[in-house]
Amino acid sequence: SRVLKEILSQACAVRSCGALTALQVAHCKMASPGQEAAGDIDDSLYSRMRYMYGDTAMKKMAKSSVFLSGLGGLGVESAKNIALAGVQRLTLHDVRAAEVSDLSAQFYLKEGDVGRNRAEVSLPHIDQLNPYCLTDVCTHDLASCDLSFLRDGAYTTVVLTDTHLDVQLRVSDFCREHGIHFLSGDTRGVFAWLFVDLGEEFHIFDPSGESAASVLIADISRSCPAEVTALLLEKKSHGLQDGDWVRVSGVAGIEELNDGVFRVKVESAEKVSLWHAPAEGEEAGADWRPVDTSNAPAAFVGGSGELQEERQGKTMRFLRLRESLERPEFVMTDTAKWCHPANAHAAMQALAAFERVHGRLPGAWNRAEAEEVLATAKAAHTGEEALDEGLVLRAALCAQGQLNPIAAFMGGVLAQEVLKSVSGKFTPISQWLHYDATEVLPPACLEDGFDATAFLPDSSRYSSQRVCIGADACKRLAEAKLFMVGSGAIGCEMLKNYAMLGVASSDTGRIIVTDDDLIEKSNLNRQFLFRPENIQQPKASAAAEAIKGMNAALHVNAHLDRVGPKTEGTYSDRFFSAMDVVVNALDNVEARRYVDGRCVANQKPLIESGTLGPKGHVETYLPFLTMSYASSRDPPEGDVPFCTLKTFPAKIDHCIQWACDIVFQGQFASKALEYNRMVRQPDVLSRIEANDSELARSYRAVARFARKRPASFHECIGYARQKYETYFVNTPRTLLHKFPLDHKNKDGSPFWQNPKRPPRPLEFDPHDELHVSFILNGALLWANVWGISDVITDPAVVGKIAAAAPVKEFVLKDKKIETDEKAKPKEEVASRDELEEYRSVLVEYFRTHSDLREVTAADFEKDDDSNHHIDFISATANLRARVYGLKEAKRLECKRIAGRIVPATATTTSAVSGLAALELIKVLTGAPFEAYKYWFMNLGAPLFSVMEPNPVEKVQVTEGLEVTMWDRWEIKKGVSTLADLIAHFEKNMKLSVVGVCQKDGKMVYMAMLPMYKSKLEMKLRALLAQKEGEKYRDLVITFKDLDGNVVKNAPVVRYYFRRSKKPSGK
């Protein structure tokens, strides 16, 4: 009955939009009743997005309803992203029938859909994106209908795209009167804009979405104001900003500071001062009173305590559209185009005026009609700054166009604003965002005599795109040979953009995409090309098949390889040389660096992009023009010191890493693998009896592992109970014996001061849920290793058995405890007597157990909640945190850190992919250097930063000879022996060869060593062992100049082998 009521409720809601069609009824679906009733979040689907938004925002979104009008390019991008985010209901509205011009940007339309309502065509596709999002269609005419259905439908937010300004004003006024959030947006050629009105007062509970800063105190000054010096550990700064609120805790000797909440002023990257908050009613930041510690008592200990940031919400006020048109406030997207927003705003209104008079937009590249638009803009212009007439003309000339990358970018931004409106998470745009990509228009388009023939629309699906970039650019896109590495979140969006742009749609074009990963359920939330039936299929092949469905003319090949040194046979220099451009859609720095190196070696442009929650970047690296990806990256952050991880954790992250890398991997993975390697050995018993030296290296690990073999699940519980005693009782006792609470360092300072925290032994309590969770999940994992299937899963029963299990009596051991942060982990080496003892254990074990079989080593998998991996790691980490007095973490946070999960959402990937596709157009059309952009964005802030690419550095090798990192010296003829090679550089470049080695480091020649003189007359094909079919070999050569100085930055030398019928070597 509950399901029936829900269906009827949804049917009534759809009826409010007009007649209920069969199509609408078919797509009225609901979230899982069990999930809805419990208020839970489907972590298997939403986990990556959940880390970005948090549960509060996610649950608000799951109760919200969004009305979205206009299913053109911008509308469908926005609808896709909103549906993936998991709003409760999404209504798709449109009154327009699909036209050929829509096919350039609307990826759910095909040629056969021309003439059909765009919303009705899109509905079944949007419906498939998320099982928890109800979708329906409305076809009312918003220009004339009764708008009360928006109120009666209980819509949280109304979004209008591809809608005339007069209709926007009508709907905006209605929404403001009835407390409905209103947003609108549009794309016109290479111009786009969006508007946000969230009411007179809109409360944001988390303006930034950043993790609250937690700062260990290294010292507090005796001064007024008190200055706190932060202990940075692995961080570069304390992460606080002027005006942030912090709570002080754990400071020894100044109790009045503890539990106090203060404002901070930033003094440096390491230091902040503390101030009392202004009294209620005073302006924030006015007349702050300093915190005075100048008379701190003698007992005060500076190196104790911490600052915990306390995030504050904020309220924003918005003007309705009618008022904001006259008093606009802009968010900048590109500071190099500082005056563009105001002029684009004028162009937007002038275009609306033209459409009001003529019933259409100005004709494509119709100069007379563009001048009419300009005249309207000039007549309405009242600003102090002169109107940029050229910008207004450009907007009018290409207004009939549609460019998919711009729709993708703005669709990501607009959808993000919708999600802010329904969740209260992140700071909304206030209130206008104007964007343009005028750099892709022909530079001479405003000159007299410009021939716009190639920019006029035609009858093809790329008609609207042609208006923006011209026939020649469309042809170059169609003929492009593109290699993309990765087909995950960004990769799916990229491939969709390529389908709309017609990349590789001619017989000579080719897209090659490779990804060695398989589709998981958690991918479906943002990798929109995949469906539930694709789970466990290869990403690359599923994505390739999906985009062929969007544009059947595409030529795309899917590979299932990981690109790296092991696959250079496939992705060879010849392969890279055949490509026009390489695109990275990767999620790790190591792989990015590798692909970047291959692009530099083969002098190919690379388009690089990435996301982290609401943040994203797009960068283009061009041969001989820019630096490379590797040359412009920050150095990687240092590892956590081993002693910190093993003995002195300072934050929950250390506890989670210890639980994952040391405890979980040690207990259930690495030792099990070593055991299996020994079991696989032939005649293992006789070899151990003979004390085989090869096996002796594993005696210690395997013997200690094997002698704990359980015979029942009760013994597994006993094993886990003993581990509890070791980790959380005995180890803290040993540490406190070695370093008592009053222990001093050599300089007289307290040993136990930040970041070191003294542990507290934690006696086992069978009634404590966390204690029992460690035992239960540890026992289940141990049972799985040994193949014990008769298990107990009742926590209460397991707790009782664990409480009664015997534990070894604690014996204090005089072990060295490492305190040096620079010390590296050392492998424990067994003495000769210990090795003999372990050998005896193994002999007895292999004699006793005739059923030798391999055990099941745990293979860590974060997304399978049935395998107990995260449950065990979470319990282990939080018990350790409790021992050391650290703040515990929820299971979800433990999963994120242990699984190294990167927060992700479809909005950011959509926006990033759009900008990357614009850069692709520039690369393939040979745009000038100044046209390229490095984009950095934070959709949550919202913040956009655009920079010019870093120009390549030119390095002087010798006087008159400069090189860049993209150069290589090629030798194609006249050199057959090593002596010829040396003579070539002496004669042509005045350089003497000091050493020659291959790129793998193998030495070929060293001038200072006599042994190499005999090789001078050897043929290089023999000396380098030329392989059959090999055409060249890259060499790294060390030179000296005429003054005897070693030459720095000499490029790689590519030596082309002379033709030979029978090459030497194998």
Side-chain angles (χ1 to χ4, degrees):
S1 62
R2 182 186 178 282
V3 173
L4 179 59
K5 287 179 182 178
E6 183 64 29
I7 291 175
L8 291 173
S9 170
Q10 293 300 325
C12 290
V14 176
R15 282 197 186 95
S16 67
C17 295
L20 185 67
T21 67
L23 180 68
Q24 292 163 341
V25 171
H27 289 91
C28 280
K29 65 181 188 301
M30 68 216 60
S32 160
Q35 175 170 322
E36 186 181 3
D40 291 338
I41 296 170
D42 186 348
D43 195 55
S44 64
L45 178 66
Y46 289 120
S47 63
R48 276 49 172 183
M49 182 177 162
R50 194 175 180 184
Y51 289 116
M52 173 173 157
Y53 286 100
D55 288 3
T56 299
M58 291 283 292
K59 289 178 180 179
K60 285 184 176 182
M61 285 189 276
K63 295 177 181 178
S64 65
S65 297
V66 177
F67 179 93
L68 188 148
S69 177
L71 269 293
L74 175 59
V76 75
E77 291 280 0
S78 303
K80 175 246 305 174
N81 297 330
I82 294 167
L84 288 170
V87 298
Q88 183 182 51
R89 178 185 174 201
L90 175 62
T91 297
L92 307 179
H93 169 270
D94 212 328
V95 295
R96 280 187 51 186
E99 301 174 4
V100 172
S101 59
D102 289 314
L103 301 180
S104 291
Q106 221 283 22
F107 46 83
Y108 286 141
L109 295 179
K110 298 179 182 178
E111 285 83 350
D113 296 318
V114 172
R116 297 179 60 198
N117 181 282
R118 297 186 300 180
E120 292 183 351
V121 174
S122 302
L123 177 65
H125 300 284
I126 298 295
D127 182 75
Q128 292 177 357
L129 295 175
N130 193 333
Y132 300 120
C133 178
L134 299 159
T135 56
D136 56 86
V137 164
C138 175
T139 57
H140 275 359
D141 185 353
L142 298 180
S144 59
C145 75
D146 181 359
L147 296 178
S148 60
F149 76 90
L150 295 174
R151 177 197 62 218
D152 298 340
Y155 290 108
T156 315
T157 300
V158 169
V159 189
L160 303 186
T161 69
D162 206 6
T163 304
H164 191 272
L165 183 58
D166 294 345
V167 179
Q168 293 181 45
L169 289 166
R170 181 174 189 257
V171 176
S172 167
D173 289 341
F174 180 88
C175 289
R176 175 56 75 98
E177 291 170 10
H178 293 90
I180 302 171
H181 303 138
F182 174 82
L183 295 90
S184 63
D186 230 327
T187 64
R188 292 285 182 260
V190 299
F191 290 77
W193 50 82
L194 65 83
F195 168 75
V196 177
D197 171 17
L198 305 186
E200 293 181 2
E201 287 192 357
F202 180 75
H203 183 70
I204 307 146
F205 75 89
D206 185 355
S208 72
E210 300 289 343
S211 299
S214 181
V215 181
L216 291 178
I217 298 173
D219 191 27
I220 301 179
S221 66
R222 286 181 168 85
S223 63
C224 182
E227 291 191 343
V228 177
T229 301
L231 188 69
L232 298 183
L233 298 177
E234 305 100 46
K235 299 185 293 186
K236 295 180 179 179
S237 80
H238 47 62
L240 296 169
Q241 298 180 8
D242 282 336
D244 283 348
W245 298 78
V246 296
R247 183 179 295 275
V248 181
S249 63
V251 176
I254 313 181
E255 289 304 320
E256 57 268 28
L257 280 182
N258 290 324
D259 209 33
V261 179
F262 308 101
R263 306 293 288 272
V264 301
K265 290 184 179 179
V266 175
E267 307 296 338
S268 69
E270 296 181 342
K271 192 175 293 186
V272 296
S273 55
L274 299 181
W275 299 77
H276 292 286
E280 186 176 354
E282 291 181 353
E283 183 181 350
D287 300 324
W288 290 9
R289 294 176 292 109
V291 174
D292 189 354
T293 55
S294 54
N295 296 316
F300 165 57
V301 178
S304 63
E306 66 179 304
L307 305 180
Q308 181 64 47
E309 182 186 5
E310 297 209 339
R311 286 288 166 84
Q312 305 291 313
K314 72 175 184 180
T315 299
M316 290 180 65
R317 292 168 174 79
F318 297 82
L319 299 176
R320 67 178 67 199
L321 176 60
R322 195 175 300 278
E323 298 166 340
S324 188
L325 280 170
E326 302 302 320
R327 292 182 285 155
E329 185 178 348
F330 302 118
V331 169
M332 294 297 300
T333 56
D334 186 348
T335 53
K337 299 178 176 180
W338 188 260
C339 296
H340 281 212
N343 289 284
H345 197 68
M348 174 194 74
Q349 295 180 76
L351 284 169
F354 183 97
E355 191 173 4
R356 187 181 300 116
V357 172
H358 298 279
R360 58 173 176 81
L361 291 167
W365 296 92
N366 186 318
R367 185 60 182 257
E369 294 188 348
E371 292 286 356
E372 182 180 336
V373 173
L374 176 59
T376 303
K378 290 169 68 174
H381 181 65
T382 59
E384 295 180 2
E385 299 289 335
L387 184 70
D388 186 338
E389 297 183 10
L391 192 76
V392 176
L393 284 172
R394 287 182 174 90
L397 289 169
C398 69
Q400 288 276 6
Q402 289 287 325
L403 200 54
N404 161 262
I406 294 178
F409 168 63
M410 291 298 287
V413 178
L414 180 57
Q416 186 66 65
E417 295 305 304
V418 172
L419 299 179
K420 292 175 187 178
S421 76
V422 300
S423 70
K425 178 78 177 251
F426 301 120
T427 301
I429 285 173
S430 179
Q431 286 188 256
W432 289 92
L433 182 143
H434 282 273
Y435 168 80
D436 70 77
T438 50
E439 60 270 14
V440 303
L441 293 176
C445 65
L446 298 183
E447 295 178 5
D448 292 336
F450 173 71
D451 183 2
T453 303
F455 291 82
L456 297 179
D458 59 11
S459 59
S460 74
R461 65 171 295 147
Y462 310 111
S463 174
S464 295
Q465 173 177 303
R466 178 183 162 113
V467 172
C468 298
I469 61 176
D472 182 62
C474 291
K475 183 174 182 289
R476 295 192 186 197
L477 288 165
E479 295 175 348
K481 297 176 180 65
L482 181 149
F483 178 43
M484 188 170 80
V485 188
S487 57
I490 292 180
C492 282
E493 294 285 345
M494 296 279 203
L495 288 169
K496 172 260 298 176
N497 296 342
Y498 300 158
M500 294 298 96
L501 289 169
V503 176
S505 57
S506 79
D507 291 340
T508 57
R510 187 73 59 195
I511 296 172
I512 297 176
V513 56
T514 186
D515 196 316
D516 67 336
D517 201 5
L518 301 179
I519 299 166
E520 304 288 346
K521 184 180 178 182
S522 62
N523 300 146
L524 304 184
N525 173 243
R526 63 203 182 282
Q527 300 175 21
F528 87 106
L529 295 181
F530 306 142
R531 300 290 177 268
E533 58 267 24
N534 297 130
I535 290 174
Q536 289 305 300
Q537 292 179 6
K539 285 185 176 181
S541 54
E545 193 65 27
I547 64 166
K548 287 178 183 177
M550 294 177 176
N551 187 344
L554 259 58
H555 296 87
V556 54
N557 292 342
H559 293 188
L560 311 181
D561 305 314
R562 179 187 296 269
V563 176
K566 293 182 179 179
T567 55
E568 285 187 4
T570 301
Y571 307 106
S572 61
D573 288 341
R574 182 178 180 180
F575 173 89
F576 274 90
S577 296
M579 295 296 117
D580 295 316
V581 61
V582 178
V583 178
N584 267 349
L586 293 161
D587 59 1
N588 70 88
V589 172
E590 182 182 357
R592 286 177 167 130
R593 285 179 175 272
Y594 175 82
V595 175
D596 173 70
R598 302 289 283 131
C599 288
V600 172
N602 291 282
Q603 301 170 342
K604 292 297 174 181
L606 171 67
I607 299 174
E608 160 62 33
S609 60
T611 67
L612 178 62
K615 302 171 186 175
H617 75 269
V618 177
E619 298 161 313
T620 305
Y621 301 101
L622 304 165
F624 307 105
L625 293 177
T626 72
M627 300 299 285
S628 72
Y629 170 83
S631 62
S632 60
R633 296 293 91 195
D634 291 332
E637 294 185 4
D639 293 332
V640 179
F642 182 69
C643 69
T644 298
L645 206 60
K646 192 172 190 302
T647 314
F648 303 109
K651 54 183 181 177
I652 187 63
D653 301 52
H654 299 156
C655 298
I656 296 170
Q657 189 176 345
W658 173 81
C660 185
D661 296 351
I662 296 179
V663 180
F664 177 87
Q665 292 294 336
Q667 284 191 47
F668 310 117
S670 58
K671 291 176 183 176
L673 290 171
E674 200 157 354
Y675 174 89
N676 287 343
R677 281 192 289 270
M678 183 172 285
V679 167
R680 285 196 294 266
Q681 298 295 321
D683 303 320
V684 62
L685 177 58
S686 59
R687 290 175 63 186
I688 294 174
E689 288 174 332
N691 203 8
D692 187 309
S693 59
E694 183 181 344
L695 296 180
R697 293 193 295 265
S698 302
Y699 283 175
R700 181 179 184 274
V702 176
R704 296 177 69 175
F705 177 82
R707 65 186 176 189
K708 295 171 186 172
R709 176 173 178 166
S712 67
F713 190 68
H714 276 66
E715 290 187 14
C716 293
I717 294 173
Y719 169 85
R721 175 67 182 87
Q722 183 60 55
K723 287 296 182 182
Y724 180 98
E725 200 74 8
T726 299
Y727 294 140
F728 309 119
V729 181
N730 296 343
T731 298
R733 286 178 181 171
T734 302
L735 190 57
L736 288 173
H737 175 79
K738 188 77 173 181
F739 304 108
L741 294 178
D742 58 355
H743 188 76
K744 304 288 185 183
N745 292 317
K746 291 181 181 179
D747 62 1
S749 62
F751 178 84
W752 293 110
Q753 63 175 329
N754 283 336
K756 293 185 178 70
R757 295 169 179 256
R760 176 178 61 88
L762 197 63
E763 299 294 339
F764 177 71
D765 180 357
H767 304 293
D768 190 301
E769 184 178 340
L770 190 62
H771 295 208
V772 176
S773 179
F774 173 86
I775 301 295
L776 172 60
N777 290 291
L780 289 169
L781 286 169
W782 192 238
N784 187 67
V785 168
W786 290 100
I788 295 175
S789 57
D790 187 11
V791 300
I792 301 168
T793 57
D794 186 334
V797 175
V798 170
K800 288 180 181 179
I801 297 172
V807 294
K808 296 178 183 177
E809 185 178 349
F810 173 60
V811 177
L812 188 64
K813 296 180 181 179
D814 189 21
K815 286 181 67 175
K816 180 185 177 182
I817 297 175
E818 187 60 72
T819 60
D820 183 2
E821 293 188 355
K822 296 179 180 178
K824 301 296 181 184
K826 297 177 182 178
E827 184 179 354
E828 294 186 44
V829 180
S831 66
R832 183 175 296 179
D833 291 341
E834 287 174 325
L835 278 177
E836 181 57 32
E837 179 188 344
Y838 293 137
R839 190 181 73 83
S840 300
V841 169
L842 289 173
V843 168
E844 178 64 23
Y845 177 82
F846 285 114
R847 285 176 177 171
T848 306
H849 295 88
S850 57
D851 60 332
L852 284 182
R853 64 182 187 278
E854 294 186 27
V855 297
T856 304
D859 185 8
F860 177 63
E861 173 49 59
K862 58 187 177 293
D863 288 322
D864 181 1
D865 288 343
S866 67
N867 64 16
H868 309 287
H869 294 184
I870 294 298
D871 291 325
F872 176 77
I873 290 168
S874 179
T876 306
N878 282 318
L879 284 169
R880 186 168 175 84
R882 197 172 291 182
V883 165
Y884 282 92
L886 298 168
K887 185 178 180 180
E888 297 174 28
K890 293 181 179 179
R891 182 185 184 279
L892 190 68
E893 182 66 4
C894 292
K895 177 178 176 178
R896 181 187 69 81
I897 295 173
R900 295 173 172 83
I901 294 174
V902 177
T905 182
T907 54
T908 315
T909 52
S910 176
V912 163
S913 76
L915 296 175
L918 278 170
E919 296 301 299
L920 174 67
I921 294 172
K922 299 173 191 177
V923 168
L924 293 176
T925 56
F929 178 82
E930 58 271 15
Y932 295 94
K933 311 282 186 183
Y934 280 6
W935 279 89
F936 302 91
M937 71 183 76
N938 182 344
L939 297 186
L943 176 68
F944 301 88
S945 176
V946 182
M947 298 188 302
E948 289 186 352
N950 295 323
V952 69
E953 294 180 5
K954 294 183 178 180
V955 180
Q956 183 171 316
V957 177
T958 61
E959 188 174 352
L961 179 60
E962 289 183 333
V963 297
T964 71
M965 62 182 304
W966 296 92
D967 282 293
R968 65 171 178 253
W969 289 338
E970 296 185 346
I971 302 176
K972 294 188 174 181
K973 58 183 179 180
V975 172
S976 60
T977 67
L978 179 58
D980 293 338
L981 181 71
I982 294 170
H984 170 84
F985 287 106
E986 289 179 347
K987 178 182 178 181
N988 297 301
M989 297 185 180
K990 310 301 182 195
L991 295 173
S992 60
V993 175
V994 177
V996 180
C997 68
Q998 302 189 54
K999 291 193 73 175
D1000 61 3
K1002 185 177 180 181
M1003 185 59 62
V1004 177
Y1005 171 73
M1006 285 190 70
M1008 62 185 296
L1009 297 179
M1011 59 181 288
Y1012 286 102
K1013 290 184 178 179
S1014 61
K1015 299 184 179 182
L1016 290 173
E1017 299 304 323
M1018 285 185 66
K1019 300 288 187 183
L1020 282 170
R1021 62 171 178 264
L1023 188 59
L1024 300 175
Q1026 179 191 6
K1027 299 174 183 177
E1028 186 173 356
E1030 186 179 14
K1031 295 182 177 180
Y1032 60 82
R1033 185 77 57 84
D1034 287 340
L1035 303 173
V1036 179
I1037 301 182
T1038 306
F1039 301 98
K1040 283 187 177 181
D1041 60 21
L1042 294 175
D1043 297 325
N1045 300 313
V1046 175
V1047 173
K1048 297 180 180 180
N1049 303 305
V1052 167
V1053 174
R1054 176 163 291 182
Y1055 173 73
Y1056 285 83
F1057 294 106
R1058 300 184 72 183
R1059 292 184 180 180
S1060 174
K1061 294 182 180 179
K1062 294 182 180 180
S1064 302
K1066 295 182 180 180

